[in-house]
Amino acid sequence: MLELPITKTSKDLWPKGWGEKICIMGVINITPDSFSDGGEYLDPVLAEKKAIELVRSGADVIDLGAQSTKPMAVEVGIDEELRRLIPALKLIRKSNPEVLISVDTFHSKVAEIALSLGADWINDVSGGRFDPQILKLSAEAKCPYVLTHSRGNSFSMDKLTNYNDIVNDVHHGLLKRTETALRSGMSSDQIIWDPGL
């Protein structure tokens, strides 16, 4: 059984006004190779400062990612992902005890450790395809789970972009991954759909 030091209730794991207003996710990439801010927030102190800035600017959720998922991104492995993530996560949680923190990972081990250190959400670009255990972990933790539509991996995704009807195809893909998540024990009210790129 996963033991989490989370003092928030289930209703506290959602932004205020969820379902009634547009909520904003502020993204901090703790990577050297992100297409948007690669290398800017590898220093945990700079990541913390950015998180404070994002919260002050109105972000409802802070999303931390320590593994780039852009096309052609190389997987750094669990140990390196944790080495990048943990110091920033600890600092941001300490200085922002009330903010919702999402961790962008497709590794169940990273997700488990992040949740144990105070993360609130799991944001999985693979929708559980890369590491199915992440679905069971999220089910057990009863945390919000961002389920993303994607195809292939960083090296094959650009070759898998042919859709007959993009809206229906993406919708069907999300439904299929949702069925898998539900079979893993997750409840439907944990799942947030992300149509991806």
Side-chain angles (χ1 to χ4, degrees), residues 101-156:
I101 298 177
S102 166
V103 170
D104 184 347
T105 186
F106 47 76
H107 290 298
S108 60
K109 186 64 178 175
V110 174
E112 180 178 15
I113 291 171
L115 290 169
S116 75
L117 294 174
D120 302 293
W121 293 18
I122 298 302
N123 179 6
D124 178 7
V125 71
S126 82
R129 290 184 301 109
F130 296 169
D131 180 356
Q133 188 62 34
I134 202 168
L135 300 174
K136 293 178 182 176
L137 175 83
S138 299
E140 188 179 325
K142 296 181 173 31
C143 66
Y145 175 81
V146 181
L147 187 154
T148 305
H149 168 74
S150 60
R151 290 177 170 180
N153 57 32
S154 291
F155 286 92
S156 62

Coordinates of all heavy atoms in Angstrom, one line a residue, residues 101-156:
I101 N 0.7 20.8 -7.1 CA 1.9 20.5 -7.9 C 1.6 19.3 -8.7 O 1.2 18.2 -8.2 CB 3.1 20.3 -7.1 CG1 3.4 21.6 -6.3 CG2 4.3 19.8 -7.9 CD1 4.6 21.5 -5.4
S102 N 1.8 19.4 -10.0 CA 1.7 18.2 -11.0 C 3.1 17.8 -11.4 O 3.9 18.7 -11.6 CB 0.8 18.7 -12.2 OG 0.9 17.8 -13.2
V103 N 3.3 16.5 -11.5 CA 4.6 16.1 -12.0 C 4.4 15.3 -13.3 O 3.6 14.4 -13.4 CB 5.3 15.2 -10.9 CG1 6.5 14.5 -11.5 CG2 5.7 16.0 -9.7
D104 N 5.1 15.8 -14.3 CA 5.1 15.3 -15.6 C 6.1 14.2 -15.8 O 7.3 14.4 -15.8 CB 5.4 16.4 -16.6 CG 5.3 16.0 -18.1 OD1 5.2 14.8 -18.3 OD2 5.3 16.9 -18.9
T105 N 5.6 12.9 -15.7 CA 6.4 11.8 -15.8 C 5.6 10.6 -16.4 O 4.4 10.5 -16.2 CB 7.0 11.4 -14.4 OG1 8.0 10.3 -14.6 CG2 6.0 10.9 -13.5
F106 N 6.4 9.7 -17.0 CA 5.7 8.4 -17.4 C 6.3 7.2 -16.7 O 6.0 6.1 -17.0 CB 5.8 8.2 -18.9 CG 7.1 8.5 -19.6 CD1 8.2 7.6 -19.4 CD2 7.4 9.7 -20.3 CE1 9.4 7.8 -20.0 CE2 8.6 9.9 -20.9 CZ 9.6 8.9 -20.7
H107 N 7.1 7.5 -15.7 CA 7.7 6.4 -14.8 C 6.9 6.3 -13.5 O 6.8 7.3 -12.8 CB 9.1 6.7 -14.5 CG 10.0 6.6 -15.7 ND1 10.2 5.4 -16.4 CD2 10.8 7.5 -16.3 CE1 11.1 5.6 -17.4 NE2 11.5 6.8 -17.4
S108 N 6.4 5.1 -13.2 CA 5.7 4.9 -11.9 C 6.6 5.2 -10.7 O 6.1 5.7 -9.7 CB 5.1 3.5 -11.9 OG 6.1 2.5 -11.9
K109 N 7.9 4.9 -10.8 CA 8.8 5.1 -9.7 C 8.9 6.6 -9.4 O 8.9 7.0 -8.2 CB 10.1 4.4 -9.9 CG 11.1 4.5 -8.7 CD 10.5 3.7 -7.6 CE 11.5 3.7 -6.4 NZ 10.9 3.0 -5.2
V110 N 9.1 7.3 -10.5 CA 9.2 8.8 -10.3 C 7.9 9.3 -9.7 O 7.9 10.2 -8.8 CB 9.5 9.5 -11.6 CG1 9.5 11.0 -11.5 CG2 10.9 9.0 -12.1
A111 N 6.8 8.9 -10.2 CA 5.5 9.3 -9.7 C 5.3 9.0 -8.3 O 4.9 9.8 -7.5 CB 4.4 8.7 -10.6
E112 N 5.7 7.8 -7.9 CA 5.6 7.4 -6.5 C 6.4 8.3 -5.6 O 5.9 8.7 -4.5 CB 6.0 5.9 -6.3 CG 5.9 5.4 -4.9 CD 6.3 3.9 -4.8 OE1 6.9 3.4 -5.7 OE2 5.9 3.3 -3.8
I113 N 7.6 8.5 -5.9 CA 8.5 9.3 -5.1 C 8.0 10.8 -5.0 O 7.9 11.4 -4.0 CB 9.9 9.2 -5.5 CG1 10.5 7.8 -5.2 CG2 10.8 10.3 -4.9 CD1 11.8 7.5 -5.8
A114 N 7.5 11.3 -6.2 CA 7.0 12.7 -6.3 C 5.8 12.8 -5.4 O 5.7 13.8 -4.6 CB 6.7 13.0 -7.7
L115 N 4.9 11.9 -5.4 CA 3.7 11.9 -4.6 C 4.1 11.9 -3.1 O 3.5 12.6 -2.2 CB 2.7 10.8 -4.9 CG 2.0 10.9 -6.2 CD1 1.3 9.6 -6.6 CD2 1.0 12.0 -6.3
S116 N 5.1 11.1 -2.7 CA 5.5 10.9 -1.4 C 6.1 12.2 -0.8 O 6.2 12.5 0.4 CB 6.5 9.8 -1.2 OG 7.8 10.1 -1.7
L117 N 6.6 13.1 -1.8 CA 7.3 14.3 -1.4 C 6.3 15.5 -1.5 O 6.7 16.7 -1.4 CB 8.5 14.6 -2.3 CG 9.6 13.6 -2.1 CD1 10.7 13.8 -3.1 CD2 10.2 13.7 -0.7
G118 N 5.0 15.2 -1.8 CA 4.0 16.3 -1.7 C 3.4 16.7 -3.1 O 2.6 17.6 -3.1
A119 N 3.8 16.0 -4.2 CA 3.1 16.3 -5.4 C 1.6 15.9 -5.3 O 1.3 15.0 -4.5 CB 3.8 15.6 -6.6
D120 N 0.8 16.6 -6.1 CA -0.7 16.3 -6.0 C -1.2 15.6 -7.2 O -2.2 14.8 -7.1 CB -1.4 17.6 -5.9 CG -1.0 18.4 -4.6 OD1 -1.2 18.0 -3.5 OD2 -0.4 19.5 -4.8
W121 N -0.7 15.8 -8.4 CA -1.2 15.3 -9.6 C -0.1 14.5 -10.3 O 1.1 14.8 -10.2 CB -1.6 16.4 -10.6 CG -2.8 17.2 -10.3 CD1 -3.4 17.4 -9.0 CD2 -3.5 18.0 -11.2 NE1 -4.4 18.2 -9.1 CE2 -4.6 18.7 -10.4 CE3 -3.4 18.3 -12.5 CZ2 -5.5 19.5 -11.0 CZ3 -4.3 19.2 -13.1 CH2 -5.3 19.8 -12.4
I122 N -0.4 13.6 -11.2 CA 0.5 12.9 -12.1 C 0.0 13.3 -13.5 O -1.2 13.2 -13.9 CB 0.5 11.4 -11.9 CG1 1.0 11.0 -10.5 CG2 1.4 10.7 -13.0 CD1 2.3 11.5 -10.2
N123 N 1.0 13.8 -14.3 CA 0.7 14.2 -15.7 C 1.5 13.3 -16.6 O 2.7 13.4 -16.7 CB 1.1 15.7 -15.9 CG 0.9 16.2 -17.3 OD1 0.4 15.5 -18.1 ND2 1.4 17.4 -17.5
D124 N 0.9 12.3 -17.3 CA 1.6 11.3 -18.0 C 1.3 11.4 -19.5 O 0.3 11.1 -20.0 CB 1.1 9.9 -17.5 CG 1.7 8.7 -18.2 OD1 2.6 8.9 -19.0 OD2 1.2 7.6 -18.0
V125 N 2.4 11.9 -20.2 CA 2.3 12.1 -21.6 C 2.0 10.8 -22.4 O 1.5 10.8 -23.5 CB 3.5 12.8 -22.2 CG1 4.7 11.8 -22.2 CG2 3.3 13.4 -23.6
S126 N 2.3 9.7 -21.8 CA 2.0 8.4 -22.5 C 0.7 7.8 -22.2 O 0.3 6.8 -22.8 CB 3.1 7.4 -22.1 OG 2.8 6.7 -20.9
G127 N -0.1 8.4 -21.3 CA -1.4 7.8 -21.0 C -1.3 6.4 -20.4 O -2.2 5.6 -20.6
G128 N -0.2 6.1 -19.8 CA 0.0 4.8 -19.2 C 0.6 3.7 -20.2 O 0.7 2.6 -19.8
R129 N 0.9 4.1 -21.4 CA 1.5 3.2 -22.3 C 2.9 2.7 -22.0 O 3.3 1.6 -22.3 CB 1.4 3.7 -23.8 CG 0.1 3.9 -24.3 CD 0.1 4.4 -25.8 NE 0.8 5.7 -25.9 CZ 2.0 5.8 -26.5 NH1 2.6 4.8 -27.1 NH2 2.5 7.1 -26.6
F130 N 3.7 3.6 -21.5 CA 5.1 3.3 -21.3 C 5.4 2.5 -20.0 O 6.3 1.7 -20.0 CB 6.0 4.6 -21.2 CG 6.0 5.4 -22.5 CD1 6.5 6.7 -22.5 CD2 5.5 4.9 -23.7 CE1 6.5 7.4 -23.7 CE2 5.5 5.6 -24.9 CZ 6.0 6.9 -24.9
D131 N 4.6 2.8 -19.0 CA 4.7 2.1 -17.7 C 3.3 1.9 -17.1 O 2.9 2.8 -16.4 CB 5.6 2.9 -16.8 CG 5.9 2.3 -15.4 OD1 5.2 1.2 -15.2 OD2 6.6 2.8 -14.6
P132 N 2.7 0.8 -17.5 CA 1.3 0.6 -17.0 C 1.1 0.7 -15.5 O 0.0 1.0 -15.0 CB 1.0 -0.8 -17.5 CG 1.9 -1.0 -18.7 CD 3.1 -0.3 -18.3
Q133 N 2.2 0.5 -14.7 CA 2.1 0.5 -13.3 C 1.7 1.9 -12.8 O 1.2 2.0 -11.7 CB 3.5 0.1 -12.7 CG 3.5 -0.1 -11.2 CD 2.5 -1.2 -10.7 OE1 2.3 -2.2 -11.4 NE2 1.9 -1.0 -9.5
I134 N 2.0 2.9 -13.6 CA 1.7 4.3 -13.2 C 0.1 4.5 -13.0 O -0.3 5.3 -12.2 CB 2.2 5.3 -14.2 CG1 2.4 6.7 -13.5 CG2 1.4 5.4 -15.4 CD1 3.2 7.7 -14.3
L135 N -0.6 3.7 -13.8 CA -2.1 3.7 -13.6 C -2.5 3.2 -12.3 O -3.4 3.8 -11.6 CB -2.8 3.0 -14.8 CG -2.4 3.5 -16.2 CD1 -3.0 2.5 -17.2 CD2 -2.9 4.9 -16.4
K136 N -2.0 2.0 -11.9 CA -2.3 1.4 -10.6 C -1.9 2.3 -9.5 O -2.6 2.5 -8.5 CB -1.7 0.0 -10.5 CG -2.2 -1.0 -11.5 CD -1.5 -2.3 -11.4 CE -2.1 -3.3 -12.4 NZ -1.4 -4.6 -12.4
L137 N -0.7 2.9 -9.6 CA -0.2 3.8 -8.6 C -1.1 5.0 -8.4 O -1.5 5.4 -7.3 CB 1.2 4.3 -9.0 CG 1.8 5.4 -8.0 CD1 2.4 4.7 -6.8 CD2 2.8 6.2 -8.8
S138 N -1.5 5.6 -9.5 CA -2.4 6.8 -9.4 C -3.8 6.4 -8.8 O -4.4 7.1 -8.1 CB -2.6 7.4 -10.8 OG -1.4 7.9 -11.3
A139 N -4.2 5.2 -9.2 CA -5.5 4.7 -8.6 C -5.4 4.5 -7.1 O -6.3 4.9 -6.4 CB -5.9 3.3 -9.3
E140 N -4.3 4.0 -6.7 CA -4.1 3.8 -5.3 C -4.0 5.1 -4.5 O -4.5 5.2 -3.4 CB -2.8 2.9 -5.0 CG -2.6 2.5 -3.6 CD -1.3 1.6 -3.5 OE1 -1.0 0.8 -4.4 OE2 -0.7 1.7 -2.5
A141 N -3.3 6.0 -5.1 CA -3.1 7.3 -4.5 C -4.3 8.2 -4.5 O -4.4 9.2 -3.8 CB -1.9 8.1 -5.2
K142 N -5.3 7.8 -5.4 CA -6.5 8.6 -5.6 C -6.2 10.1 -5.9 O -6.9 11.0 -5.5 CB -7.4 8.5 -4.3 CG -7.9 7.1 -4.0 CD -8.8 7.1 -2.8 CE -9.4 5.8 -2.5 NZ -8.8 4.6 -2.9
C143 N -5.2 10.3 -6.7 CA -4.8 11.6 -7.2 C -5.3 11.9 -8.6 O -5.5 11.0 -9.3 CB -3.3 11.8 -7.1 SG -2.4 10.7 -8.3
P144 N -5.5 13.2 -8.9 CA -5.8 13.5 -10.3 C -4.7 13.0 -11.2 O -3.5 13.0 -10.9 CB -5.8 15.0 -10.3 CG -6.3 15.4 -8.9 CD -5.5 14.4 -8.0
Y145 N -5.1 12.5 -12.4 CA -4.2 11.9 -13.4 C -4.5 12.5 -14.7 O -5.6 12.4 -15.3 CB -4.4 10.4 -13.4 CG -3.6 9.7 -14.5 CD1 -2.2 9.4 -14.3 CD2 -4.2 9.3 -15.7 CE1 -1.5 8.7 -15.2 CE2 -3.4 8.6 -16.6 CZ -2.1 8.3 -16.4 OH -1.4 7.7 -17.4
V146 N -3.5 13.2 -15.3 CA -3.7 13.8 -16.6 C -3.3 12.7 -17.6 O -2.1 12.3 -17.7 CB -2.8 15.1 -16.8 CG1 -3.0 15.7 -18.2 CG2 -3.1 16.1 -15.7
L147 N -4.3 12.3 -18.4 CA -4.1 11.3 -19.4 C -4.0 11.9 -20.8 O -5.0 12.5 -21.2 CB -5.3 10.3 -19.3 CG -5.2 9.0 -20.1 CD1 -6.1 7.9 -19.5 CD2 -5.7 9.2 -21.6
T148 N -2.9 11.8 -21.4 CA -2.6 12.5 -22.7 C -2.7 11.5 -23.8 O -2.3 10.4 -23.8 CB -1.2 13.1 -22.6 OG1 -1.0 13.9 -21.5 CG2 -0.9 13.8 -23.9
H149 N -3.3 12.0 -24.9 CA -3.3 11.3 -26.2 C -1.9 11.5 -26.8 O -1.4 12.6 -27.0 CB -4.4 11.8 -27.1 CG -4.2 11.3 -28.5 ND1 -4.5 10.0 -28.9 CD2 -3.7 11.8 -29.6 CE1 -4.2 9.8 -30.1 NE2 -3.7 10.9 -30.6
S150 N -1.3 10.3 -27.1 CA 0.0 10.4 -27.9 C 0.1 9.1 -28.6 O -0.6 8.1 -28.4 CB 1.1 10.6 -26.9 OG 1.2 9.5 -26.0
R151 N 1.0 9.1 -29.6 CA 1.3 8.0 -30.4 C 2.9 7.8 -30.4 O 3.6 8.7 -30.4 CB 0.9 8.1 -31.8 CG -0.6 8.1 -32.0 CD -1.0 8.3 -33.4 NE -2.4 8.1 -33.7 CZ -3.0 8.2 -34.9 NH1 -2.3 8.6 -35.9 NH2 -4.3 8.0 -35.0
G152 N 3.3 6.5 -30.3 CA 4.7 6.2 -30.3 C 5.5 6.8 -29.2 O 5.0 7.0 -28.1
N153 N 6.7 7.2 -29.5 CA 7.6 7.8 -28.5 C 8.2 9.0 -29.1 O 7.9 9.4 -30.2 CB 8.6 6.8 -27.9 CG 9.5 6.2 -29.0 OD1 9.8 6.9 -30.0 ND2 9.9 5.0 -28.9
S154 N 9.2 9.6 -28.4 CA 9.8 10.8 -28.9 C 10.5 10.7 -30.3 O 10.6 11.6 -31.1 CB 10.9 11.4 -27.9 OG 10.2 11.8 -26.8
F155 N 10.9 9.4 -30.6 CA 11.6 9.2 -31.9 C 10.7 8.8 -33.0 O 11.0 8.9 -34.2 CB 12.7 8.1 -31.7 CG 13.9 8.6 -30.9 CD1 14.0 8.5 -29.6 CD2 14.9 9.3 -31.6 CE1 15.1 9.0 -28.9 CE2 16.0 9.8 -30.9 CZ 16.1 9.7 -29.5
S156 N 9.5 8.3 -32.7 CA 8.5 7.9 -33.7 C 7.3 8.8 -33.9 O 6.6 8.6 -34.8 CB 8.1 6.4 -33.4 OG 7.4 6.3 -32.2

